[in-house]
Structures are given as structure tokens and as C-alpha cells.
Amino acid sequence: WYWLDPEHVDGPWFRDTFGAPYADTDAVAQGDFDRREYVSPYAMTNAKEDFAETFMTYLRYRRSLHRFVARAGLYAKLRAVERAVEQAAAQRGR
């Protein structure tokens, strides 16, 4: 998605949700994997990998995001991605 629309993907919503700009290569977390916050251990690598893993999960489960409600941090990211997708679609008249 970033390749197609970098301005939208790397907008303020991204920094607010993933804690860094898209191109930031710093790790977003240290230590043990926290399943409440991340889709996978790999998502802890940096903001864009966290986004990629979260976006993939959103696409797979977009009709049943409620299944992640107990994973508060991840659920918040999924909902932010959902809003970003809706905004992008509205901008394109879909």
C-alpha cells in the first residue's frame, strides 16, 4: 500500500498508531514478544514491519476484528488501519 500511496500511509495516523514514521528502522519494541500489542515477534522489528503484519491481519480478518478485542494494543492498531482504509477509499470515491 505504501508503494501506491506513500503520503496517505505515512500520514499522522501512521505515526500515532505505530509510534514512528514509516521509514524509521529503529525497533518498535525490545524484549519478549507481547501478543497483546503485536501480531508476531517479527512485527516488533520496526514500524513498517509492524504495519505490514497488522495490515495483513486486517485483510485476513476484516470482517471479524472483534476476535482481537482482548489484545488491546493490537486491536487498536487494527481499528486504526481500518479507518485509514476507509479514508483512502472515500478519497477515491469508493
Side-chain angles (χ1 to χ4, degrees), residues 4 8 16-17 20 29 38 40 53 55 61 69 72-73 81 86 94:
L4 295 172
H8 181 70
D16 291 344
T17 303
Y38 300 96
S40 69
E53 295 280 298
F55 186 55
Y61 298 107
V69 75
V81 167
E86 290 169 355
R94 294 184 182 134

Side-chain angles (χ1 to χ4, degrees), residues 54-85:
T54 303
F55 186 55
M56 174 194 67
T57 302
Y58 166 75
L59 291 174
R60 183 176 294 148
Y61 298 107
R62 66 184 172 268
R63 289 179 176 67
S64 59
L65 294 181
H66 63 277
R67 71 174 53 209
F68 298 98
V69 75
R71 296 171 71 179
L74 175 58
Y75 184 67
K77 291 178 197 176
L78 288 165
R79 295 303 304 264
V81 167
E82 179 178 52
R83 287 187 300 276
V85 167

Side-chain angles (χ1 to χ4, degrees), residues 34-55:
D34 183 351
R35 70 181 308 277
R36 293 168 300 182
E37 299 293 324
Y38 300 96
V39 172
S40 69
Y42 185 68
M44 295 169 55
T45 305
N46 58 48
K48 67 180 159 189
E49 298 304 346
D50 190 9
F51 167 68
E53 295 280 298
T54 303
F55 186 55

